C-alpha cells in the first residue's frame, strides 16, 4: 500500500492546500495530512481548530487521515511506517527552503525518508496562509482563498 505524509501548519487550510491534498489522494492509497503542533510558533488557530477545519473541507475523500504531530518529522514518519513526505511548491522562493528540509530529512533518517514535491496549480501559486491571515486581520474578503467554513472561522477570530 502506498502512503504519504503531507505535513504543515495549515493555519488555516487554503484552496492551495486542498488542491495538493486532492491530487495526493488520487495517487496514493493513504494520505496523512499532519498538522504540526509546535509551541514555538504562535499560530492564529489552535491545533484542534486547524484539524477540525481540515476535516470539514476534506470530508469527500475517504483515503485521508488528519492528525497532529509534534517533534521531528522523521520520528513521526517512522511511527507511521511511511517513507514518503509530500510538500507543495509555489515558486522559486519555496524551493531553497524545501530542498534543504528534504535533504536534511533524508540525511537524518539514514536515507529512508524521501520527499516528493507537487508544483502548485497556477491558480493558487500566489496563495499562502500568511496572506489569508493578513487580509482577514484587516477585515478583508477571503472568500476567493478559502472555503466558506474557513472564512467564517477567520471572520469570527477577527470579530466581524
Ligand atoms: P509551513 O509548513 O511552511 O507552515 P503550510 O502549512 O502553509 O507551510 O503549508 C504546508 C505545505 O503546503 C507546504 O509544502 C507548502 O509549500 C504547501 N502550500 C502552501 N500553500 C500552497 C499553495 N497555495 N499551493 C500549493 N502548495 C501550498
Amino acid at each position: 500500500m502506498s502512503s504519504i505524509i503531507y505535513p504543515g501548519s495549515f493555519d488555516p487550510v487554503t484552496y492551495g492546500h486542498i488542491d495538493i491534498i486532492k491530487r495526493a489522494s488520487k495517487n496514493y492509497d493513504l494520505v496523512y495530512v499532519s498538522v504540526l503542533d509546535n509551541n514555538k510558533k504562535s499560530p492564529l488557530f489552535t491545533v484542534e481548530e486547524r484539524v477540525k477545519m481540515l476535516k470539514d473541507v476534506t470530508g469527500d475523500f475517504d483515503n485521508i487521515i488528519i492528525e497532529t504531530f509534534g517533534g521531528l518529522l522523521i520520528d513521526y514518519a517512522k511511527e507511521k511506517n511511511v517513507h514518503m513526505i509530500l510538500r507543495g511548491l509555489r515558486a522559486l522562493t519555496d524551493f531553497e527552503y524545501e530542498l534543504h528540509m528534504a535533504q536534511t530529512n533524508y540525511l537524518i533518517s539514514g536515507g529512508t525518508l524521501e520527499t516528493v514535491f507537487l508544483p502548485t496549480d497556477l491558480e493558487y501559486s500566489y496563495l499562502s496562509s500568511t496572506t489569508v491571515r493578513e487580509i482577514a486581520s484587516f477585515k478583508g474578503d477571503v472568500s476567493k482563498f478559502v472555503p466558506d467554513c474557513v472564512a467564517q472561522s477567520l471572520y469570527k477570530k477577527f470579530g466581524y
Side-chain angles (χ1 to χ4, degrees):
M1 189 170 83
S2 64
S3 309
I4 197 158
I5 294 171
Y6 179 37
S9 305
F10 306 103
D11 186 32
V13 58
T14 69
Y15 283 132
H17 298 125
I18 295 168
D19 175 58
I20 298 284
I21 294 170
K22 201 184 291 178
R23 287 156 65 194
S25 86
K26 276 192 210 145
N27 290 291
Y28 290 85
D29 296 323
L30 183 61
V31 181
Y32 288 93
V33 179
S34 308
V35 182
L36 178 62
D37 190 1
N38 181 353
N39 290 334
K40 286 189 198 105
K41 284 192 177 180
S42 330
L44 175 64
F45 290 101
T46 66
V47 77
E48 292 79 15
E49 288 172 325
R50 284 179 274 151
V51 166
K52 177 162 190 320
M53 284 186 279
L54 273 161
K55 285 188 174 162
D56 287 346
V57 301
T58 57
D60 295 346
F61 311 106
D62 55 12
N63 62 339
I64 289 174
I65 292 176
I66 295 161
E67 59 184 28
T68 64
F69 78 104
L72 283 179
L73 184 56
I74 57 159
D75 293 333
Y76 169 70
K78 202 184 279 176
E79 188 189 302
K80 296 282 151 194
N81 199 23
V82 175
H83 307 281
M84 205 64 91
I85 298 299
L86 174 64
R87 297 287 288 176
L89 280 182
R90 280 163 293 193
L92 261 185
T93 42
D94 280 344
F95 183 74
E96 203 171 332
Y97 171 77
E98 293 293 345
L99 181 65
H100 290 164
M101 282 304 298
Q103 289 168 327
T104 305
N105 283 328
Y106 184 76
L107 186 76
I108 62 177
S109 68
T112 60
L113 188 59
E114 299 282 2
T115 302
V116 297
F117 298 110
L118 274 182
T120 177
D121 188 312
L122 267 184
E123 204 184 335
Y124 307 121
S125 57
Y126 64 91
L127 183 54
S128 72
S129 299
T130 309
T131 311
V132 171
R133 288 196 305 272
E134 195 152 316
I135 294 170
S137 74
F138 293 110
K139 305 198 186 318
D141 176 7
V142 293
S143 59
K144 287 196 172 65
F145 314 131
V146 296
D148 190 50
C149 60
V150 178
Q152 295 308 324
S153 301
L154 279 159
Y155 298 153
K156 212 165 138 192
K157 230 2 135 186
F158 289 106
Y160 65 111

